[in-house]
Amino acid sequence: MSLLIENLHANVDGTEILKGLSLEIPKGEVHAIMGPNGSGKSTLSKVLAGHDDYEVTAGSATMDGEDLFELEVDERSRAGLFLAFQYPAEVPGVSNANFLRAARQARLPKGEEIDAVKFYHEMYEKMDILEMDRKFTARAVNEGFSGGEKKRNEILQMMMLDPKYCLLDETDSGLDIDALKVVAKGVNEMRSADRGFLVITHYQRLLDYIEPDHVHVMSAGQIVKSGDKSLALELEANGYDFLKEEVAA
Amino acid sequence: MSAVLAEEKPSVTTNFPDWYQKLRAKAESTYAQLNWPTRKDENWRFGSYKNANLEDVNIAHGGANAPLPEPALEGAVRFVFHNNELIATEGSLPEGVVAGPLADVLRDHGDSLSQNFPSLQGKLGSPKLAALHRAKCEGGFAIQLKTACDTPIEIVHLISGNDVTLPYTLIIGADQAKGTILERFMSANEDDQTTVVSVSDLIAQDNTQLRYLVSQELNAKSQFIRLADSKLGKHSNTKSGSVHIGSAWAREETYSTVNGEESTSEILSVTIPTTGQEYDQRTFQHHGAPHTNSDLLFKNTLFGKGKTVFSGLIFVDEKAHYTDAYQTCRNLFMSDEAEANSMPGLEINADQVKCSHGSTSARVSDEEIYYLCSRGIAPTNARRIIAQGFSADVIEKFEDKALETFALNRIEAKFSAVE
């Protein structure tokens, strides 16, 4: 049971960004992807979650055997994939609570109604873990939220939707150290043998709090090096230049 | 629809006091002198002016008993009219509130009104209709709030038949008064082709806070015209507005006058037209004193071949320095075939004012739809949720949970019906 990506090629506006990327994230593991700007990290997450701007030209991605590219964006989510966005959209007028309710409702069989009491109870419980004020439920989705609030909100959604595989796209960007700890706490709460994580980040700092099982380095649309968490420390100390040399050699 | 009927059917009264009868007679002669709107009338630009020609129509008053709709606001005092005739009252009025048929209220409590009864409306294109209304309206309803009233007041107009109905609502908030009023217009039958010409006067004297929402839910064959004036004294705040989800055609002329310092008139509207529906709204925000505020927010969500017209003017008198006035009309297109016409306007004759006006038109943002879809919500549902949120934004400005719940339910029902 895994999220399996094989020889993935993808274009944006006719330019190839992913150039034969392969990666397997088994359930129960946390994988981190690091890499310089423009290496295709965010593109990978968008391609997996599905977005019209990204065109898959070759390769495959399956989630527990199910072909992701055969599914629409909403279907991928309901099948168990979750992308925590680097820049979440603002949705004026739609309260967080109603938004989450609609997302949960979408997972129920037709005709079955969500249990509102249970839903709110669960939401408040998760919000407490993320140290979110109850007022957030009534506020419009991400509207006027600070960077940190938006990221907490992404993790809240992730916790409420109970996905099988979670993609975190630079969740640490724009977070101060306290917010980072809270967000990491939420992610760590969710770590289990039934769930896989792909954490995309620029900095090793996040991995101090969300400890990865594997670290991969991405460059020019491919995974160029993989290792354990010590690879992240190595990158932090030496930057990406030495990797380039290694790849060249 | 509940089957509850009033135990005792109150009688219609046209027993207006003499001073009011004189106003009606004067209106009759004004009506005779005026002309119906024409194509050349600037106030009817882009509008269906022929719909406002009510020459030789029959005026309806009263009708057979109809089942009463469920109450909209919990704990409200409710007055239900059928074709302008009061057929039921529910609940009891708190002390300090007078409400009932216009003639009764004018006779028993109207001394102070005889000298300064609201003048004829229609400055935004429909003076002849305003005159017709005053001359021919046999009923009418009046509310005088003399204190802070925690009990909401719900007025329901059930309309039936194919004639013209002329409801009138007078709301007066005296010094220190607070209150919430919901007025609904509903068809008793789905197939009637009714025309409703509704007039309302909202008078907020000093230190008042009034919320007044009109919900137009008529059947898809009806026509609806509303002339709505409001006048504010000092240190007052009104939040008045409308939700239009029914009728084939609706025209609303809203004239707000702020004549007292430190007062704010908030004017709000939500419309959701679809194929076969046209909503035409004309507004005037008149600032007649210094340190006055007004804020207009209209949002239209257009489906199918739905059409809207918005024409608004902020007018600041010479003496009305330090005015803050805002006017925003936003159109959200849910279809390529819909049509929205917006004509925002501004005329400032004073110094030290802050004013803005504007209109925007857009489709539902792809980025927002994508975000909702990425959480498992199907695209059609995502569009609906976003569009409902667009309208909800306006309704939340009433800052009244009960009104909000009611209006959002009506809006949701409309969205369910059109998509």
Side-chain angles (χ1 to χ4, degrees), chain B residues 157-169:
Chain B
H157 297 280
L158 289 172
I159 311 290
S160 67
N162 297 317
D163 294 331
V164 175
T165 311
L166 305 172
Y168 175 66
T169 303

Side-chain angles (χ1 to χ4, degrees), chain A residues 46 49-51 73-74 77-78 82-83 85 88-94 99 102-103 106-107 141-142 154 157 161, chain B residues 299 330 365-368 370-379 381 385-393 396 401 408:
Chain A
K46 290 274 177 58
H51 194 290
V73 177
D74 56 313
S77 168
R78 293 197 298 274
F82 184 92
L83 169 59
F85 289 94
E90 298 186 2
V91 192
V94 179
F99 171 55
R107 284 158 169 78
V141 177
N142 294 327
E154 292 291 287
Q157 290 167 29
L161 299 180
Chain B
K299 287 195 178 181
R330 293 184 62 193
S365 140
D366 289 341
E367 193 197 5
E368 290 174 30
Y370 175 70
Y371 189 65
L372 266 67
C373 290
S374 78
R375 301 307 182 233
I377 299 166
N381 201 17
I385 289 170
I386 293 164
Q388 278 181 219
F390 176 77
S391 304
D393 228 17
E396 281 164 12
K401 215 63 204 161
L408 293 181

